Amino acid sequence: MFNIAILGFGTVGSGVYEVIKENNALLKQKTCEDIAVKKILDIREFPGSEWESLVVHDIKEIIEDNDIDVVVETMGGTSPAFEFVRDALLSGKHVTTSNKALVAAHGTELLKIAREKNVNFFFEASVGGGIPIIRTITESYAGEHFKEITGILNGTTNYILTKMDTEGEDFEKALSTAQELGYAERNPEADVEGYDTCRKIAILASLATGKEVNFDEIHTEGITKIDTTDFEYAKHMKLSIKLFGDSKFEDGKVFAFVAPVMVERDHPLYMVNDVFNGIMVEGNMLGKSMLYGSGAGKLPTASAVVADIVAITKNKDKNVATFGWGDEKQNVVDMNETSHKYFVRFKGRDVKFIDKCKETFKNAKEVYLDGKDEFALVTELMKERDFLAALNNLGDVIKYIRTKIA
């Protein structure tokens, strides 16, 4: 018998229970183990439920139970999740988690403890939900030098931007719809301000480099300032707007950011819409590849957790030393030193001012919308610090958005 304890019985935790129950025969066939949920940690009682007898309220009942092989953390947040996971690893139990905040903030320490205790700390479900991106990077692409990992990593923001793009809704209306459908939380800040995507791209960059990438060093912008006029310009130029988590790797340096980006129709991520996620990986031998699927949701995320459990059954007596990253810090290049093309909106249509802007941004393409007392420029590739310095010498700037235009 291979016994599981689930910490937190919300959407994902209950999904893990359901997957183990429904696919139990298949899991036994693949692992040669009887996998069973022995205990569930939650503050609630669940009277009358089939799992009522499994519920405990004290983490010690799980940590001190020598029959529990794997702890599944689906609580969310960093505390007490970190303390519970740390103690589980120290007690010699394997751990799998869907918690990207935990992995981004404490992954380095937890991976180190897992190695010292000869157990495993896996987190496939922490990025991309049901998309097997972490195992793909660490196993399938193990022979690659990564050049870029870029993705649409948050289904909430992608749904909102899709509604704004295809139905002309403003941000507030699209957000309200997302909340009504359960795609957005009552407090959507982590999603719409880009924090969720930031933690996920930090995890992927850490895996790609084998070093700790601190999410606090990644420049992060959300989608709250994107408006319907931005999408009018985008449609006029046959583009769309997506929230990207972007990381590039060059000569031992990491260039990473999270921000709205204008993308062309031939970009691999252009067609990723609604609540779906897409992740583009480029390696020096592989070239470009893209993974697409459900980036969140009860059963897709639970499926990824159970995949980790299966992997643990195959490595129950050893730590998978090639998984994760080490203690060494990987600095992220300052955003001012990165280079982009920019879409910039300016107020008014004064000819002299337009000429001044064109002189400042040489070879920029002009864009006009009928009926709008403004204009836009799409710049050539330039360093961010030079771009911002140029903007400071110009007035009447409405906003700018980075672009992925060839």
Side-chain angles (χ1 to χ4, degrees):
M1 185 67 70
F2 205 72
N3 289 315
I4 312 298
I6 300 174
L7 312 186
F9 208 64
T11 301
V12 178
S14 61
V16 172
Y17 180 92
E18 185 175 339
V19 173
I20 291 174
K21 177 185 176 183
E22 293 297 321
N23 290 357
N24 197 263
L26 176 65
L27 292 172
K28 184 174 182 179
Q29 178 184 336
K30 289 184 178 293
T31 64
C32 299
E33 299 274 4
D34 281 314
I35 297 176
V37 177
K38 186 180 182 187
K39 289 180 180 175
I40 296 168
L41 180 75
D42 204 283
I43 60 173
R44 296 165 292 176
E45 298 288 350
F46 302 103
S49 68
E50 64 181 78
W51 53 83
E52 180 182 5
S53 62
L54 306 180
V55 176
V56 299
H57 307 300
D58 188 344
I59 187 64
K60 288 183 179 180
E61 293 191 50
I62 291 171
I63 301 297
E64 295 174 0
D65 188 336
N66 293 328
D67 290 332
I68 291 176
D69 302 288
V70 181
V71 171
V72 174
E73 188 277 311
T74 59
M75 301 169 63
T78 55
S79 185
F82 166 67
E83 291 81 8
F84 290 175
V85 167
R86 178 197 60 199
D87 291 349
L89 292 170
L90 288 170
S91 73
K93 301 183 191 306
H94 302 278
V95 174
T96 174
T97 181
S98 61
N99 187 343
K100 66 267 182 183
L102 173 68
V103 178
H106 299 289
T108 304
E109 180 179 351
L110 295 173
L111 285 163
K112 183 179 180 181
I113 293 171
R115 294 185 188 107
E116 291 171 350
K117 290 296 180 178
N118 200 37
V119 293
N120 291 294
F121 174 59
F122 288 161
F123 41 86
E124 180 63 70
S126 67
V127 181
I131 302 172
I133 182 60
I134 289 175
R135 198 155 277 113
T136 297
I137 289 174
T138 56
E139 296 180 9
S140 301
Y141 296 159
E144 291 291 327
H145 287 293
F146 293 100
K147 299 173 69 176
E148 181 177 7
I149 300 176
T150 299
I152 296 170
L153 300 170
N154 184 276
T156 299
T157 52
N158 203 44
Y159 176 83
I160 291 169
L161 293 174
T162 299
K163 294 289 282 187
M164 294 177 72
D165 189 5
T166 60
E167 299 184 25
E169 292 186 359
D170 62 24
F171 172 79
E172 293 297 338
K173 177 65 168 66
L175 171 59
S176 177
T177 303
Q179 289 172 322
E180 290 171 8
L181 294 172
Y183 297 149
E185 302 287 344
R186 182 173 297 178
N187 179 1
E189 181 182 24
D191 295 324
V192 300
E193 295 294 352
Y195 306 144
D196 176 84
T197 297
C198 175
R199 282 153 179 78
K200 291 173 180 176
I201 201 65
I203 293 169
L204 296 181
S206 297
L207 291 168
T209 60
K211 302 176 183 178
E212 179 188 295
V213 175
N214 188 336
F215 65 89
D216 284 329
E217 295 181 15
I218 297 176
H219 176 89
T220 301
E221 301 171 24
I223 65 169
T224 57
K225 295 179 182 178
I226 300 298
D227 61 32
T228 54
T229 302
D230 295 323
F231 275 103
E232 289 181 46
Y233 276 107
K235 285 187 176 182
H236 181 75
M237 295 185 289
K238 298 181 179 179
L239 308 173
S240 188
I241 303 172
K242 307 289 186 180
L243 182 70
F244 273 18
D246 189 282
S247 59
K248 290 187 176 67
F249 315 98
E250 298 176 8
D251 301 324
K253 298 179 180 179
V254 172
F255 302 81
F257 71 91
V258 174
V261 174
M262 283 187 166
V263 293
E264 293 181 301
R265 290 181 178 177
D266 62 354
H267 192 284
L269 298 174
Y270 177 90
M271 294 301 294
V272 179
N273 291 317
D274 296 313
V275 293
F276 288 95
N277 284 193
I279 306 166
M280 187 189 77
V281 179
E282 183 177 359
N284 67 326
M285 298 292 113
L286 166 75
K288 292 182 179 178
S289 177
M290 194 182 91
L291 289 82
Y292 169 88
S294 298
K298 177 178 180 176
L299 295 180
T301 305
S303 176
V305 172
V306 173
D308 275 348
I309 295 172
V310 171
I312 287 169
T313 67
K314 297 176 181 179
N315 297 278
K316 58 185 177 182
D317 297 320
K318 65 179 180 180
N319 171 265
V320 180
T322 56
F323 181 81
W325 55 85
D327 296 343
E328 188 177 351
K329 309 289 185 186
Q330 171 66 62
N331 292 330
V332 178
V333 174
D334 189 285
M335 189 65 172
N336 283 323
E337 301 303 321
T338 64
S339 295
H340 313 268
K341 293 181 180 180
Y342 301 85
F343 164 82
V344 199
R345 286 169 55 191
F346 298 95
K347 297 176 184 177
R349 292 280 186 100
D350 181 78
V351 174
K352 289 184 179 180
F353 179 64
I354 292 173
D355 288 341
K356 181 180 179 181
C357 292
K358 289 166 61 179
E359 178 63 27
T360 301
F361 299 108
K362 292 181 171 58
N363 300 316
K365 175 186 174 183
E366 301 167 59
V367 188
Y368 300 93
L369 291 179
D370 292 339
K372 299 287 186 182
D373 186 28
E374 61 174 77
F375 70 99
L377 295 178
V378 178
T379 75
E380 293 280 86
L381 188 69
M382 58 191 305
K383 191 168 284 189
E384 179 124 342
R385 73 161 66 251
D386 297 333
F387 170 75
L388 295 176
L391 280 192
N392 285 336
N393 293 325
L394 299 169
D396 297 330
V397 178
I398 299 174
K399 72 174 64 171
Y400 64 86
I401 302 172
R402 296 167 192 85
T403 72
K404 295 278 188 182
I405 301 175

